[in-house]
Structures are given as structure tokens and as C-alpha cells.
Amino acid sequence: MTVNGSWHERALELRKALADQPQAGKLYLIERASDRLGIAAQTAAQLIRASEFLDRLNDPALGTMIAAMPYQSVIAIERWYLRDPNGLKTFLEITPSPSVRQIIAAERASRATVDLPPHRGNPAQHLIAHFSQYDHIQAGPTLRRLLDHWSISAPDLGRAVWSQSTGYARDVGLEWQTRTPEGTTIALATGPTSLTLGRYSRSAKTIWFEASHAATLCDIIFYLLPNDAARDACLSGMPLPPTGLQQWPEWNDIKNSKRGAPRSGPLRPASPRGGVAIFTTPERAVMDFQT
């Protein structure tokens, strides 16, 4: 069978093989599983990504429509959906049964037309524009597990009303804040911008202390970095909070990691008393929130 013809089954098989495995060992397991299935490791990773996106998608009609498409189309649709869901839906309405090439080309073209808020280069405002396109953005199981430890209500970010921070909150780097109907307080902060990854590795400890201090003022802080490479460099170099010691939650079940790889995902407890720091990018924030 071709990968496209059976990609849902293969993706499910891969995900079962990776279930409950340490994050640090997943790359090796993907390589082993892909060898057994006779596909490239990169293809296996894309199958998993496409399958997980369909599971997270809180839009049954759209999910049914794209589930029948090749996984390459689903990958492009995920990028488009996170940035401009209305533009994606319009394209699918006027383009019945689009090919992979058509979807990829349309997704690339859409990047130049999506409306951004004022101050186009501001990551926090860019993220707020993403949030405003959703009716519901439910907290994922990893975030809920952390919040449950401190009896904090898991928020729904859909249609959150944001306001610019003032006073001390602004001074410690919190740019925008909101309080959800559940009573959970959330803030956005923007990290440094650099052309070299070394800057993020060297600044990782400082970034962690800035984020953990800022999180004393809110329940959840999104700490925004410019791209995935910068995020990984920060996560690899910053202190790793303990797991299950004293008042710290049981949050990180990873015992070992490959050299140079982050020892946990982007969600971390900021202190034993409460507060979650999410180290992410404007494009991945919704996905990380739902992890």
C-alpha cells in the first residue's frame, strides 16, 4: 500500500509505538518504527504530526473534509489553519478536491494576505490575532495536569479580551494580560531577538528567571520566542524544575535525553507555589497550549 492510501493506519501505529515513551527517546523510536514500516523517518514524523492535528482539531466539519486528504495536504492545512482558519475554509469551499500541490501553493500565497494587527512585528499582538480567530482554545492535558496540582481552573482562550499591561507587570516584561471567565490569569511576554542561536543558549538561564518571576503575577505566561530553533536552544540551556519534590508537581517523566535536546516540552511549572511558563512561538502557541 502507498503511504497516502494507508497513512491514517500507519500514523496510528506509530503513535501507539511512541505512547508513554520519554520525549528524549522518541526520535530514535520513530527511526526504528519507520524502518519497520519501510518509510523515511521524516515521513513518519509528518504522519504523526498530521494525525495529531486531526485529533486536536475542534471543527468536525473541517476535520471530516480534510481527513480524506493525503497527509502532505494535512501538514500544509495545519500551518494555514493556525494562521488564518477563515482563509483556509474559503479556499476549500471554492476549490473542491484540491491536490497537494494546489494546497501547498495556496497556503504559501496566503501568508502575504493574512491581516495582522497594528505594529506588524510585535509577536504578542500577532499571537492575539491568532487567538481572536478561534471560538474555543481548550487547555491540553499537559497544561491541565499542571493547573490541577494548584487547583487552578483550566482556561478556554477563545475570545479572550486582552489589555496592555501597566505598572510593575509591564516593568517585568508582561506586555498583555487577560482574565478568563474561569478566573485564570494569563499574560504574554516577548523574549529577545537575535540572528544567532548562541544568543539563546547563553541567555537561557536569564530567560528562565525572567519568566519564572513574571509568572508570580499570573497563572500562565506565554513567553514568545522567534522560532522553534530559538525555543529549543532556550529549553536545552535553562534550569529544569524538579518533579514531585516538596510542593513541585509531578510534571516531567523524562529521565534521560539526547545530548543537545530539550529535557522536557515547552510547558514548565514556574515555581512550587504555582504558575506555568509556556516557551513557544506565535505560530505554535495554540498547539503548545493544547498539548
Side-chain angles (χ1 to χ4, degrees):
M1 291 185 288
T2 65
V3 172
N4 284 340
S6 60
W7 79 263
H8 291 282
E9 297 176 5
R10 293 193 174 190
L12 182 60
E13 186 173 353
L14 287 164
R15 292 175 63 183
K16 287 182 177 179
L18 299 179
D20 301 324
Q21 295 295 327
Q23 185 72 29
K26 286 189 177 182
L27 180 59
Y28 173 69
L29 291 172
I30 288 175
E31 292 174 348
R32 289 186 57 188
S34 63
D35 286 342
R36 179 167 52 82
L37 293 174
I39 57 178
Q42 182 178 4
T43 299
Q46 290 179 338
L47 292 175
I48 294 171
R49 177 178 170 181
S51 179
E52 290 178 340
F53 169 64
L54 288 174
D55 283 353
R56 292 193 307 271
L57 187 61
N58 189 26
D59 190 328
L62 180 61
T64 299
M65 181 185 302
I66 67 177
M69 296 181 180
Y71 73 92
Q72 298 96 327
S73 294
V74 178
I75 293 293
I77 285 172
E78 177 194 23
R79 293 194 299 267
W80 197 347
Y81 184 82
L82 291 175
R83 185 182 64 253
D84 182 18
N86 293 329
L88 166 65
K89 293 177 182 179
T90 298
F91 168 79
L92 294 176
E93 288 173 0
I94 64 177
T95 312
S97 302
S99 66
V100 173
R101 181 172 297 181
Q102 284 178 306
I103 289 178
I104 291 176
E107 187 273 326
R108 287 175 178 170
S110 74
R111 299 177 196 177
T113 59
V114 62
D115 292 331
L116 295 178
H119 309 295
R120 181 178 294 265
N122 187 304
Q125 289 183 312
H126 193 172
L127 179 54
I128 290 173
H130 281 317
F131 287 157
S132 68
Q133 296 171 349
Y134 293 81
D135 290 323
H136 299 285
I137 308 175
Q138 300 286 351
T142 301
L143 179 56
R144 289 200 302 270
R145 186 168 67 248
L146 287 171
L147 297 177
D148 287 346
H149 178 78
W150 297 299
S151 299
I152 299 172
S153 297
D156 181 345
L157 281 181
R159 305 305 180 188
V161 178
W162 295 87
S163 60
Q164 287 187 290
S165 301
T166 58
Y168 183 69
R170 184 74 179 183
D171 292 341
V172 299
L174 301 183
E175 298 182 25
W176 292 81
Q177 295 177 279
T178 187
R179 184 181 182 89
T180 69
E182 300 86 0
T184 306
T185 54
I186 305 170
L188 310 181
T190 301
T193 300
S194 174
L195 296 177
T196 63
L197 289 181
R199 165 74 185 280
Y200 298 103
S201 298
R202 292 190 298 271
S203 303
K205 290 183 179 179
T206 300
I207 289 172
W208 166 250
F209 290 125
E210 287 178 353
S212 59
H213 176 63
T216 62
L217 303 179
C218 57
D219 298 316
I220 301 170
I221 176 175
F222 286 88
Y223 196 96
L224 302 176
L225 295 158
N227 52 53
D228 289 349
R231 181 183 68 163
D232 286 353
C234 285
L235 292 176
S236 298
M238 65 179 51
L240 193 68
T243 294
L245 298 178
Q246 298 178 350
Q247 298 180 40
W248 288 92
E250 292 277 357
W251 72 279
N252 184 24
D253 59 357
I254 299 166
K255 306 302 180 184
N256 301 293
S257 65
K258 296 183 69 175
R259 185 175 181 180
R263 291 171 292 169
S264 79
L267 281 68
R268 303 184 177 202
S271 80
R273 295 174 298 280
V276 179
I278 305 177
F279 297 91
T280 187
T281 69
E283 291 75 23
R284 293 186 60 90
V286 173
M287 184 187 308
D288 289 338
F289 186 80
Q290 296 175 327
T291 299

